[in-house]
Amino acid sequence: MSNPSEHPIRPPAKNSSAVAQDLLRACVHCGFCNATCPTYQLTGDEREGPRGRLYLMKDLLAGALADADLEPLAHCLGCRSCETTCPAGIQYSEILDTVRERTQGQRPVLQRALDRAAEMVLSARKPLATILRVARALRPLAPPTLKRRILLSTKGLEWPAARHARRVGLLIGCVQPALRPDLDVKAAIVLDHLGISAQPLGPACCGALPYHLQAHEKGRAQALETLSLGMAGDLQGVTSTATGCTAFLRDYGRLFHDTDEAAQAHAFAATVTDVAAWVDPARLPLLPPDLRRDIAWHAPCSLQHALKGALHVEAILKALGHRLVPVSDAALCCGSAGPYSLRHPRLARALAKRKWQALTGAHPALVVTANIGCQQHLASHGDRPVVHWLDLVFEALTNQDKADRD
């Protein structure tokens, strides 16, 4: 398989704990990371910023603080904004994963139980899909506050037949098909227009959901199943329409660094890229003036800081003719962060409110994002449409087809 992305993949580590300690020693405690940390900016508490958490993690890895308060680690969104800001190149997320796994037994029983409950609810594909299908049917009768939480999904779309030499595997995940059943089909239709056939992989969980809820072994087991799917067949790469899933797929090399699958996982991760990397802006139609809109672009943290692909989506939106309004504090998280909004609703709501104010300060017609979790989270707090960028590309190509037929 070949990959259009050139983002580097970190090589597999020899020992996760030793690597984490090496990374900690490289930290100069300058505090630049606090300037872009959502929880620190919200609370002003040193313990709720990367620098304070790094001090805590250093002691935990050294075997100290057996009775330490782990709540600051639980409050971390995993947005990786601090990694983008850090002048020393500290891979904060790698340290955090190591510490969380080693301190799993120290967490309060209630917190562990709530995490397991959240994981069970969100990973129950068929029941969740049924509940949301009913919710969409009853959406017109719902009050405005509830209506905003139910995302619409286009009906009647069909997956295009494989007919192109270029082929990419498109992961059909767990939560996204329930929230937006049409989004993966829209992606396949868009890619088909551009001469690329999307082969559905799954449904299968990439492993991010249980792993981020600290069910690490279950996360690895699910990731191993997805790894086998992605390596099968003559594919030129693997992608997902959820940037959170894509970022986790790209981290498989580290996830399996000490297993027999290390080499395979590292090779697989090198083929993973955001779905936007397969869309050439130069091949998109320019919308007529009456269909161009002022939009606020919300680049999810997984796209900005893990995949480094926010600018490519911006180029796609501009190629369609839309105007991107300025957004203050564009690097800050909206508070969705996968299951975070369920585990820490107070912090998640506060971050969403702050993000919404930043996104709508220039009065855009709609907000555009690239991750289903961000779309649902922001839509539930806002007063105007929140869409996936693929919706706009699909809309433009559909209009072009209609114009060609006329």
Side-chain angles (χ1 to χ4, degrees), residues 196-213:
I196 303 165
S197 289
Q199 175 179 314
L201 301 179
C205 180
C206 65
L209 178 60
Y211 193 84
H212 291 153
L213 286 168

Side-chain angles (χ1 to χ4, degrees), residues 78-95:
C79 68
R80 298 171 70 165
S81 180
C82 56
E83 294 184 11
T84 298
T85 310
C86 179
I90 303 299
Q91 297 296 331
Y92 172 90
S93 58
E94 188 167 341
I95 306 169

Side-chain angles (χ1 to χ4, degrees), residues 54 60 110 120-121 130 159 208 225 235 291 331 363 380 401:
L54 285 170
L60 289 168
L110 179 59
M120 289 175 62
V121 170
T130 301
W159 199 284
E225 294 178 7
L235 300 174
L291 294 180
H363 309 291
S380 66
D401 287 347

Side-chain angles (χ1 to χ4, degrees), residues 52-128:
R53 293 183 180 120
L54 285 170
Y55 278 120
L56 174 59
M57 290 190 284
K58 182 178 182 180
D59 289 335
L60 289 168
L61 285 173
L65 303 178
D67 299 322
D69 178 12
L70 302 180
E71 197 68 8
L73 300 186
H75 287 167
C76 176
L77 293 126
C79 68
R80 298 171 70 165
S81 180
C82 56
E83 294 184 11
T84 298
T85 310
C86 179
I90 303 299
Q91 297 296 331
Y92 172 90
S93 58
E94 188 167 341
I95 306 169
L96 181 63
D97 283 346
T98 301
V99 172
R100 279 178 169 172
E101 191 157 5
R102 290 190 58 178
T103 58
Q104 173 67 13
Q106 294 177 235
R107 299 169 63 234
V109 174
L110 179 59
Q111 191 176 92
R112 281 181 276 170
L114 290 173
D115 282 354
R116 295 291 74 75
E119 188 271 324
M120 289 175 62
V121 170
L122 292 173
S123 62
R125 289 191 188 93
K126 290 185 178 179
L128 185 61

Side-chain angles (χ1 to χ4, degrees), residues 354-374:
R354 177 173 178 165
K355 189 68 182 185
W356 189 256
Q357 290 173 343
L359 286 166
T360 58
H363 309 291
L366 70 163
V367 173
V368 180
T369 188
N371 190 60
I372 192 69
C374 298

Side-chain angles (χ1 to χ4, degrees), residues 205-250:
C205 180
C206 65
L209 178 60
Y211 193 84
H212 291 153
L213 286 168
Q214 301 195 47
H216 296 101
E217 289 309 310
K218 184 173 183 178
R220 287 194 182 91
Q222 292 183 344
L224 189 59
E225 294 178 7
T226 302
L227 176 63
S228 63
L229 287 174
M231 295 300 291
D234 183 21
L235 300 174
Q236 293 178 296
V238 174
T239 190
S240 165
T241 56
T243 57
C245 295
T246 311
F248 195 73
L249 292 172
R250 282 187 63 83

Side-chain angles (χ1 to χ4, degrees), residues 366-401:
L366 70 163
V367 173
V368 180
T369 188
N371 190 60
I372 192 69
C374 298
Q375 183 185 0
Q376 199 276 336
H377 188 59
L378 288 170
S380 66
H381 291 82
D383 57 357
R384 67 200 72 195
V386 182
V387 303
H388 196 287
W389 65 266
L390 277 164
D391 290 317
L392 298 184
V393 177
F394 175 82
E395 177 186 59
L397 292 173
T398 301
N399 288 336
Q400 183 188 47
D401 287 347

